Amino acid sequence: MRIIMLGAPGAGKGTQAKKIAEKYNIPHISTGDIFRANIKNETELGKKAKSYMDQGMLVPDELTISLVMDRFQEPDARNGYVLDGFPRTIPQAESLDAALKESGSQIDHAINVDVPDEAIVKRMSGRRACVNCGATYHLQYAAPKKDGVCDHCGEGLILRDDDKPETVEKRLGVYHDQTQPLIDYYAQKGVLKEVDGTRDLEEVFGQIKKILGE
Ligand code: ADP
Ligand code: AMP
């Protein structure tokens, strides 16, 4: 099964992608997580990506596309994946299409997690992320067991620099300009599915399971 998660930053793509990956036994591929791991490890890619991410801008297509194509070569991605945060532009979607065509495969579902902008800013200011393992929490809706500590690995939780309100506004603008057109792109291919992302985490997952088959 090949799945794309669409939606604004903070809509809940990562939260749902992790649940999908676990239930359907496919890898969760998050370009944001891969960039953040590179920043943490101070790689060349990380250095390049950081300057864009800190400003709420997209990392250039060239860098992002080659990163995803490399990831697809790993054995676990052979039979499917859930893509979270990729594609984010039409050229990225076209490159993905070309790669799929070459391997004789296709996207089964592009799931749009729909959340209005007003709710997004609130979601992002409450998001806390583990710098070590990438787990995500929310102070109000998905709190860790112990304040400021990751349930999975015990490391400290942070408010991502790009989740501060001024950067969130910028990211929403970028989303509307460059990523939202993908909703029509996948609708035209007949694979677009919509879920109401304003509902509780488990309810959203319930809607997704109906789409994917329990
Ligand atoms: P994205 O991957 O789309 O940027 P996340 O999955 O990281 O978004 O979710 C953003 C924040 O909102 C996180 O703090 C997460 O815990 C919280 N969240 C996700 N889905 C819901 C939901 N359905 N209701 C309330 N909070 C949610
Ligand atoms: P995310 O974790 O998906 O919210 O992504 C965090 C940041 O990483 C984004 O604001 C972008 O700067 C960058 N990024 C992640 N995925 C992509 C992508 N597909 N194309 C360009 N930039 C990306």
Side-chain angles (χ1 to χ4, degrees), residues 95-208:
S95 299
L96 175 61
D97 277 347
L100 289 167
K101 198 170 167 197
E102 213 176 285
S103 62
S105 51
Q106 60 185 31
I107 293 298
D108 300 299
H109 307 280
I111 302 175
N112 183 37
V113 184
D114 187 31
V115 177
D117 286 8
E118 309 79 76
I120 292 289
V121 181
K122 191 170 170 206
R123 286 257 178 106
M124 306 287 254
S125 59
R127 171 157 67 180
R128 292 294 178 273
C130 174
V131 270
N132 184 45
C133 74
T136 303
Y137 301 86
H138 193 282
L139 293 181
Q140 200 177 341
Y141 309 117
K145 292 194 181 90
K146 194 174 164 208
D147 259 7
V149 178
C150 179
D151 291 353
H152 301 288
C153 71
E155 284 291 320
L157 302 179
I158 56 148
L159 170 65
R160 277 166 46 180
D161 278 341
D162 61 346
D163 280 353
K164 293 178 179 154
E166 55 285 11
T167 316
V168 171
E169 296 287 348
K170 178 89 182 286
R171 292 171 71 197
L172 275 173
V174 169
Y175 166 75
H176 290 301
D177 281 355
Q178 300 198 55
T179 309
Q180 207 171 16
L182 295 179
I183 296 177
D184 276 347
Y185 183 94
Y186 287 106
Q188 276 168 22
K189 289 185 178 291
V191 293
L192 181 73
K193 315 284 154 62
E194 296 269 1
V195 296
D196 178 357
T198 63
R199 312 304 285 258
D200 162 84
L201 299 174
E202 290 305 328
E203 269 183 64
V204 180
F205 192 48
Q207 296 174 51
I208 292 177

Side-chain angles (χ1 to χ4, degrees), residues 29-36 53 64 67-68 84-86 88:
I29 301 180
S30 156
T31 39
D33 283 353
I34 299 174
F35 287 135
R36 281 185 289 277
M53 290 168 74
T64 309
L67 171 106
V68 174
D84 161 18
F86 182 92
R88 256 181 161 103

